[in-house]
Every structure is written in structure tokens, then in C-alpha cells.
Amino acid sequence: MIEDKEFIFLKACRGETTDVTPIWFMRQAGRYMKAYRDLKEKYTFLELCKNPELATEVTLQPLDVLGVDAAIIFADILLPLEPMGTGLEFTAGDGPVIPRPVKNLKDIEKLRPVNAEEDLGFVGDAIREVRKEISGKIPLIGFAGAPFTLSSYMIEGGKSRDFTDTKLMMFEAPEMWGLLMDKVCTMLVDYLKMQVNAGAQALQIFDSWVGCMSPQDYEKYIMPYTQRIFLELKDTGVPLINFSTGTSTLLDTVTRAGGDVISFDWRINLDTAWEKIGYDRSIQGNLDPTILFAPIHVIRERVKDIMRRAGGRPGHIFNLGHGILQHTPVDHVKAVVDMVHEYKHE
Ligand code: CP3
């Protein structure tokens, strides 16, 4: 039985010294695991998310197999889109589809306010169930999409390469963009607070696609809203993780947007990134997910390189720069956990 304040993941989030470096993975539950694929024979992805018992089962699947230092609740950043009224579908192979995307002022005005307890209560129920199973062993992370990444799905109607419609809304109709972001922020703060009330012990805000922005447009159209999220969540008292990818050249701006922990991908060396971010923040990253397919000796080399660059400084959480890819060998993921836990700083 470990006391909450002694969990190495939470200590590292707070910048405190730990005996070993904590490690967890984004998408640590999912298709690369047989137990997950077996469940997917019987249930759709959305069914797994909306049934607290099944979501609990999936959340727990990787924990003992991998020996990670944190669990993340099984859900999806796009779940709030259903109660907001845009619809949400997952088609095999194509990823998410939003059937009624937000294209004009009328669409934004039509968006429904979300009551997280009522409309997304299944996420809260799953969090409570998972906490019952893992309390005293490892902490649980809750999450949501960041205002930009979530809005980009609402506007584009699915995944996008260029984010043309999203950027055009900023450039052509900034007041419309502001209205959308305001609605999304209100929903997100309520949803994330609900997760903390249910038992989430840290929160990760996924701004997966914000790396498509120029620094000045990030600052003008995105920073105020991301800042608002981090500010309004401060009084929850749980550590807040600011996750993004493709932001190596935006790290100072991303850092100013907020978060106790700044997560970055593999397109920058860890020591260079931490210096830019500042040593007053904790950091998370930064292994390329593709490395997990490589031979073990290559993986070991890369893990050691990251650990050496972190230099034993308190506040490093080992993770990938993005989620675990489909078909990743499970034993390689497990090997990375052991390498990180066994690493000795010189
Ligand atoms: O990390 C975890 O283990 C928790 C679960 C989790 C999922 N999605 C499950 C999932 C988390 C944290 C997410 C976040 C999420 N969802 C993000 C941000 C993180 C990132 O990857 O950038 C985004 C952009 C989404 C939206 C989303 N959901 C996409 C683009 C897809 C399709 C991805 C693909 O590879 O097909 C999903 C579906 C999804 N979310 C799956 C899982 C396990 C696969 C669904 C399946 O089983 O077919």
C-alpha cells in the first residue's frame, strides 16, 4: 500500500526526487494487446468507452503486464462531441468521423451545453471503478482534448492534414472562433473537474495537432484558451500535463500556455527541450514510438540516451512522444519499463 503523495509518478509531476524514473505510455491500453483485441471482437470502441465495467477492464489490462507507474482512464478525447450535438462515429480504418461538423455561426450557436455528471457520467463511473482496483498501488490519470485539438475535429469533421477550415475560421472570423473556443473551454473545465471529483489524480490535456500552428498564431488564437483551461483547473490541486506533438519549435510558447508538466515528442533532444522549457517545470517524453519495433539493443541505446540527457534531474517522466502504435510488440514495451526502472545515473 503506497500513500498517494508517495507515488513516484505524482512526485515527478511535482518536481520531487524519486529513486527511479516513473514511466507510463500514452495508449498503453489498445490494439497492440491481445486482451483488448479479444474484447473488440464483441464490442465496438464506443461501447467499450461508455460501459464503465468494460472501460475499467481495458484500463487495467496493461498495468500488471507492463509494470507502469500510472494508469490512464480508458476513454477518448472526442466523447464530449456527442452531448455537444455534432455526433461521433468510429469507422474501422478511417478513424473518427464527426457527422455534423461545425462550419458556421449557426452551428456554433446550436452546440449544446454539456453537464459532465449527466452526459459523460460513464467516464466518472469508470474512474471510480478503476480507483477501487488500483488505490494504494498506482495513481490514475484523467484526460481531455485541448481546446484547439478538440475544435479542429469539430470543424474538420475528422482527422485533417492541413487544418484549413480550422485556421480559416481563426483568420476570417476570429469572433466566431472565440465563441467556439469559449463553449469548448466551458465544457472542458466542467468535464475535467468531474474527473477529479470522481478520483482522477492527475490530468493530461491532449493538444495532439497544435504543432501545425505558427508561433504567432498559436499565441493569438490558442494560447488564451489553453491558458484558461490550466488556470481554471489549478484549484483541483492535481498535477496538470500539457501534451502536444510537433511543437519542438514552439516549446517556449507551449510552456507559457501552462501545465506543471510539459510533454514533447522525439523531434528534439530531451536536454535541449528541458533547457528551453525551464527547469522549474517537470517534463514528459520523448521516445519515438517507432523505436519500439526495433531490436532490443537499439531500444536500449535510445532509452539510455534519453536517461543520460535527463541526467537524474528531478521531474522527468519517461514516456513516448506520442501513443503506442498498433502492432507494437508487447514484450518490447515491457522491456522499456524495465530498462527505465533499472537505469542507474552515473
Ligand atoms: O492512452 C490510453 O490508453 C487511454 C485511451 C485513449 C484513447 N484515445 C483510446 C483510443 C486516449 C488517451 C485517447 C486520446 C485521443 N483520442 C487523442 C489524443 C492522443 C493522440 O493520440 O494524439 C486523439 C487525437 C484521439 C482521437 C482518436 N481516437 C483517433 C484519431 C482515433 C483513431 C486512431 C487510430 O489509430 O485508429 C481514436 C480511436 C481510439 N482511441 C482507439 C483507442 C484505443 C482505437 C480504437 C479501436 O480500438 O479501434
Side-chain angles (χ1 to χ4, degrees):
M1 185 80 181
I2 305 170
E3 264 191 82
D4 282 9
K5 66 177 190 343
E6 294 303 323
F7 286 128
I8 59 171
F9 166 76
L10 295 178
K11 286 177 97 166
C13 287
R14 296 191 297 257
E16 296 166 16
T17 311
T18 56
D19 291 339
V20 295
T21 301
I23 173 168
W24 70 282
F25 299 94
M26 286 163 286
R27 295 272 171 95
Q28 60 191 17
R31 289 170 297 198
Y32 76 108
M33 282 206 160
K34 183 168 184 312
Y36 179 81
R37 291 195 302 274
D38 287 347
L39 269 183
K40 277 290 296 287
E41 301 262 314
K42 286 193 259 172
Y43 306 98
T44 66
F45 173 63
L46 280 177
E47 281 169 344
L48 292 180
C49 290
K50 288 181 186 174
N51 179 324
E53 212 172 288
L54 293 171
T56 301
E57 186 179 336
V58 177
T59 303
L60 301 177
Q61 277 173 355
L63 304 183
D64 287 339
V65 178
L66 302 179
V68 283
D69 299 303
I72 179 162
I73 192 66
F74 187 78
D76 198 89
I77 64 162
L78 302 177
L79 293 175
L81 297 193
E82 272 195 327
M84 289 187 95
T86 64
L88 172 64
E89 291 164 14
F90 284 91
T91 50
D94 288 335
V97 175
I98 289 85
R100 294 178 295 283
V102 171
K103 294 292 182 195
N104 52 44
L105 189 59
K106 224 184 187 158
D107 295 338
I108 297 175
E109 284 170 345
K110 266 196 322 215
L111 289 173
R112 290 198 290 265
V114 173
N115 179 324
E117 283 289 353
E118 280 173 23
D119 301 325
L120 296 159
F122 50 87
V123 176
D125 290 341
I127 288 173
R128 276 182 283 270
E129 282 302 309
V130 171
R131 280 298 306 275
K132 272 191 221 154
E133 299 290 332
I134 65 170
S135 275
K137 292 187 202 151
I138 57 170
L140 178 62
I141 304 168
F143 71 89
F148 167 79
T149 291
L150 197 56
S151 302
S152 80
Y153 278 100
M154 297 170 81
I155 295 168
E156 307 285 341
K159 67 172 181 230
S160 172
R161 242 178 65 130
D162 302 317
F163 301 93
T164 315
D165 289 353
T166 309
K167 289 186 182 184
L168 273 182
M169 192 183 287
M170 298 174 197
F171 302 148
E172 284 181 351
E175 63 302 324
M176 204 160 107
W177 170 254
L179 184 65
L180 174 62
M181 293 299 261
D182 182 53
K183 286 196 169 195
V184 168
C185 282
T186 304
M187 179 282 290
L188 284 172
V189 169
D190 179 51
Y191 179 40
L192 288 161
K193 284 189 170 170
M194 182 276 277
Q195 294 188 37
V196 174
N197 288 335
Q201 292 152 295
L203 293 174
Q204 177 151 317
I205 314 300
F206 282 97
D207 218 348
S208 305
W209 313 133
V210 78
C212 72
M213 298 303 295
S214 73
Q216 63 266 44
D217 288 331
Y218 181 109
E219 223 168 287
K220 187 164 176 190
Y221 298 109
I222 294 167
M223 176 115 84
Y225 305 101
T226 309
Q227 258 172 353
R228 175 172 150 194
I229 299 286
F230 285 112
L231 225 78
E232 291 187 15
L233 290 169
K234 232 188 181 93
D235 65 2
T236 61
V238 306
L240 307 172
I241 309 170
N242 184 350
F243 169 87
S244 61
T245 75
T247 46
S248 305
T249 54
L250 295 172
L251 275 181
D252 51 339
T253 322
V254 167
T255 301
R256 271 191 288 135
D260 304 295
V261 183
I262 307 295
S263 190
F264 50 88
D265 70 14
W266 57 92
R267 294 170 178 93
I268 184 166
N269 287 328
L270 184 140
D271 46 349
T272 313
W274 207 343
E275 197 183 340
K276 276 196 195 187
I277 289 164
Y279 300 119
D280 56 330
R281 308 281 186 119
S282 295
I283 55 155
Q284 179 176 273
N286 71 333
L287 190 69
D288 180 346
T290 313
I291 295 285
L292 292 180
F293 291 91
I296 288 287
H297 72 272
V298 176
I299 298 179
R300 180 170 294 115
E301 221 172 80
R302 299 308 181 91
V303 168
K304 275 189 179 164
D305 181 67
I306 288 174
M307 295 301 285
R308 189 179 51 73
R309 288 176 192 277
R313 198 183 281 280
H316 172 217
I317 297 152
F318 199 104
N319 205 315
L320 304 177
H322 208 161
I324 293 182
L325 297 164
Q326 202 177 353
H327 310 304
T328 299
V330 176
D331 54 334
H332 286 195
V333 185
K334 166 77 182 139
V336 170
V337 175
D338 294 341
M339 287 172 200
V340 169
H341 283 163
E342 285 158 17
Y343 186 88
K344 297 259 182 297
H345 287 283
E346 279 156 24

